[in-house]
């Protein structure tokens, strides 16, 4: 089935504007769903209120140039009463932007940082930050409400390829870089770098926190998937199974599953607690044998994202297609065309998928399916129980298999 188009935000172009340098390497939604941000290329990041975008799509059809959107969005006011009112911003980061991540200071559990009042920035309950990872190895932290630069983090020596904030409101930021390291930063402590995670033999392409912030997944220019204990800052385990570079990863909303995308033309869905591959979504039929797994570069998978309902996974590949998969079905349930797509992510509520290409963003509606009561119960249980604890429950084997996503 063809996925339903919701809208698009097109980057402004001039007659002399070349596509080289306009790549949209990253797109992100704020945790509260208030903002959408994406890299337009040529050092520019665009921040727009997401509700206003959806409203414009409904009013004016699917096509929306960013210039037209700008005319209709409210501009930033200097009055303090306007601080938390969503306003659009265009941010010049000073270098090519490879990665974006929103961070919220709204805590879900006790913060890891003590005595935050001793530091320069006062982080309130309504703090919303945007981290941008740059080509020169710097990470710049911006206040989303004002568009002002707060911090400039300088320690990586190569491109900062990915960024992720801990979901617990602690404002702990992890950066993945081509310098083969992951670095952990505490933004409540003036951006102090807390730890360097080493173990990747080559470039690190991506990283993602588990929903409870206890585990970090990282992937890179090797066939292994790395899992880190973020309480001890030590490696938990490596997941082996891909046949080429692994370029993207994301946990399911309940933390029970991990999706990884690779240049071997596959997306694997793992049980991160046991290292078992539960699902394989192939983008080339028949799939390439391991010795030729790197040769099908027109099928390389670039990005993967888990939907809010825990039932759907989206993937974006070099074969000019976006695919929506159900975790319990072998073939995609919906597809959509997209040339030169580089990144994709679901909106905060999971209703829309955003994908980036050449400085622009395209949006499709997530397949509409009502989750079963069984699946909702499974997600509730798996949010608080890893596989090892589930397997110790005194319940029938079939129920155990269902809770462990084996059926």
């Amino acid at each position: 089935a063809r996925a339903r188009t919701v809208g698009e935000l097109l980057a402004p172009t001039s007659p002399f504007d070349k596509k080289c340098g306009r790549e949209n390497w990253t797109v992100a939604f704020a945790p509260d769903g208030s903002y959408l941000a994406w890299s337009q290329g040529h050092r520019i990041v665009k921040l727009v209120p997401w509700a206003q975008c959806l409203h414009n799509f409904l009013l004016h059809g699917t096509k929306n140039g960013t210039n037209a959107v700008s005319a209709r969005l409210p501009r930033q006011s200097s009055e303090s009463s306007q601080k938390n009112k969503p306003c659009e911003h265009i941010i010049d980061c000073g270098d090519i932007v490879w990665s974006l991540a929103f961070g919220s200071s709204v805590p879900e559990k006790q913060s890891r940082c003590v005595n935050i009042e001793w530091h320069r920035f006062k982080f309130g309950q309504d703090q919303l930050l945007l981290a941008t990872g740059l080509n020169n190895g710097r990470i710049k932290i911006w206040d989303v409400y004002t568009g002002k630069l707060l911090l400039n983090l300088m320690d990586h020596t190569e491109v900062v390829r990915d960024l992720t904030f801990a979901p617990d409101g602690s404002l702990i930021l992890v950066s993945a870089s081509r310098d083969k390291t992951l670095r952990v930063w505490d933004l409540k402590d003036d951006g102090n770098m807390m730890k360097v995670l080493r173990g990747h033999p080559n470039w690190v392409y991506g990283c993602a926190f588990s929903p409870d912030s206890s585990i970090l997944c990282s992937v890179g220019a090797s066939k292994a998937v790395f899992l880190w204990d973020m309480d001890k800052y030590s490696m938990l385990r490596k997941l082996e199974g891909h046949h080429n570079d692994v370029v993207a990863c994301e946990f399911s909303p309940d933390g029970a599953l991990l999706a990884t995308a690779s240049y071997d033309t596959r997306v694997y869905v793992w049980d991160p607690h046991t290292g078992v591959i539960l699902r394989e979504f192939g983008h080339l039929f028949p799939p390439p044998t391991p010795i030729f797994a790197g040769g099908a570069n027109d099928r390389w998978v670039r990005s993967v994202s888990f939907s809010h309902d825990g039932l759907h996974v989206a993937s974006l590949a070099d074969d000019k297609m976006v695919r929506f998969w159900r975790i319990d079905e072998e073939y995609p349930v919906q597809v959509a065309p997209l040339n030169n797509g580089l990144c994709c992510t679901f909106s905060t509520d999971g209703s829309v998928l955003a994908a980036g290409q050449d400085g622009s963003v395209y949006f499709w509606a997530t397949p509409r399916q009502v989750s079963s009561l069984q699946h909702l119960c499974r997600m509730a249980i798996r949010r608080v129980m890893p596989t090892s604890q589930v397997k110790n429950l005194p319940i029938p084997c079939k129920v155990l298999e269902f809770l462990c996503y084996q059926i």
Side-chain angles (χ1 to χ4, degrees):
R2 183 78 171 262
R4 181 172 65 85
T5 301
V6 173
E8 56 191 41
L9 294 173
L10 304 179
T13 59
S14 66
F16 304 104
D17 189 14
K18 296 179 181 179
K19 283 194 174 182
C20 181
R22 282 187 55 215
E23 292 86 0
N24 179 354
W25 290 107
T26 177
V27 60
F29 288 92
D32 60 0
S34 59
Y35 276 94
L36 165 74
W38 76 98
S39 59
Q40 287 192 338
H42 304 307
R43 317 187 317 183
I44 301 301
V45 169
K46 189 77 178 275
L47 261 170
V48 295
W50 175 234
Q52 185 69 47
C53 277
L54 285 177
H55 181 67
N56 289 339
F57 292 153
L58 291 173
L59 283 180
H60 304 282
T62 61
K63 290 185 184 264
N64 247 319
T66 53
N67 291 336
V69 174
S70 300
R72 290 190 293 272
L73 293 178
R75 293 292 179 179
Q76 176 67 25
S77 169
S78 59
E79 297 178 12
S80 59
S81 61
Q82 295 291 318
K83 180 187 175 186
N84 296 334
K85 187 176 181 181
C87 300
E88 93 166 68
H89 300 288
I90 296 176
I91 298 173
D92 186 343
C93 295
D95 205 345
I96 296 171
V97 180
W98 285 85
S99 49
L100 292 173
F102 281 97
S104 172
S105 63
V106 177
E108 296 174 12
K109 64 177 184 180
Q110 186 176 2
S111 173
R112 304 180 189 203
C113 184
V114 187
N115 295 330
I116 61 173
E117 64 272 7
W118 287 76
H119 305 296
R120 286 186 298 158
F121 300 112
K122 184 178 179 181
F123 290 96
Q125 288 289 308
D126 59 352
Q127 189 75 27
L128 186 60
L129 306 179
L130 179 70
T132 55
L134 307 182
N135 193 68
N136 58 11
R138 295 189 178 189
I139 302 167
K140 292 188 176 181
I141 310 297
W142 309 83
D143 186 308
V144 171
Y145 299 129
T146 64
K148 292 181 179 178
L149 178 65
L150 297 179
L151 291 169
N152 194 353
L153 310 180
M154 298 177 287
D155 208 69
H156 282 296
T157 57
E158 293 283 349
V159 172
V160 180
R161 191 63 187 85
D162 199 16
L163 295 164
T164 182
F165 275 95
D168 59 8
S170 61
L171 289 180
I172 298 297
L173 173 70
V174 175
S175 55
S177 172
R178 287 184 181 174
D179 65 12
K180 306 179 185 178
T181 67
L182 297 135
R183 295 175 191 261
V184 185
W185 313 81
D186 186 351
L187 298 194
K188 285 187 176 177
D189 187 14
D190 291 351
N192 176 49
M193 193 187 71
M194 303 163 57
K195 201 74 179 176
V196 180
L197 304 180
R198 303 182 191 274
H200 281 270
N202 293 299
W203 293 357
V204 189
Y205 283 129
C207 54
F209 268 103
S210 62
D212 65 358
S213 304
S214 65
I215 299 175
L216 179 81
C217 174
S218 63
V219 296
S222 66
K223 301 172 186 178
V225 177
F226 291 70
L227 295 179
W228 307 84
D229 182 332
M230 293 307 287
D231 291 321
K232 300 177 181 177
Y233 299 110
S234 60
M235 191 184 301
L236 276 173
R237 64 181 65 89
K238 289 184 187 178
L239 308 182
E240 305 278 356
H242 279 296
H243 305 292
N244 203 335
D245 293 356
V246 191
V247 294
C249 58
E250 188 166 16
F251 283 90
S252 62
D254 59 5
L257 303 175
L258 172 68
T260 57
S262 170
Y263 287 164
D264 65 9
T265 75
R266 299 170 174 92
V267 167
Y268 284 158
V269 178
W270 310 75
D271 184 327
H273 305 285
T274 63
V276 174
I277 298 172
L278 299 175
R279 302 283 184 275
E280 177 183 325
F281 299 138
H283 294 66
L284 180 64
F285 300 99
T289 57
I291 195 170
F292 295 111
N297 56 4
D298 60 337
R299 297 291 192 278
W300 282 359
V301 189
R302 293 281 179 179
S303 186
V304 67
S305 184
F306 246 110
S307 176
H308 181 73
D309 60 10
L311 278 176
H312 294 94
V313 175
S315 65
L316 188 153
D318 282 348
D319 62 356
K320 304 177 182 179
M321 297 293 288
V322 176
R323 292 171 172 84
F324 293 90
W325 312 79
R326 267 186 65 108
I327 60 170
D328 54 0
E329 294 186 17
E330 186 178 356
Y331 298 103
V333 292
Q334 288 186 8
V335 296
L338 181 68
N339 291 338
N340 304 321
L342 293 171
C343 59
C344 67
T345 188
F346 281 100
S347 60
T348 307
D349 64 1
S351 63
V352 172
L353 180 77
Q357 171 240 32
D358 290 337
S360 301
V361 192
Y362 298 84
F363 304 92
W364 295 275
T366 304
R368 299 184 66 179
Q369 293 176 315
V370 177
S371 299
S372 68
L373 183 58
Q374 282 179 318
H375 174 69
L376 294 174
C377 290
R378 171 169 61 185
M379 287 189 65
I381 292 170
R382 292 312 306 267
R383 283 183 191 275
V384 296
M385 276 193 178
T387 305
S388 57
Q389 292 182 17
V390 169
K391 287 189 172 179
N392 291 329
L393 294 175
I395 52 179
C397 292
K398 283 294 181 184
V399 179
L400 281 177
E401 290 177 5
F402 179 78
L403 291 177
C404 294
Y405 288 92
Q406 294 172 355
I407 55 173

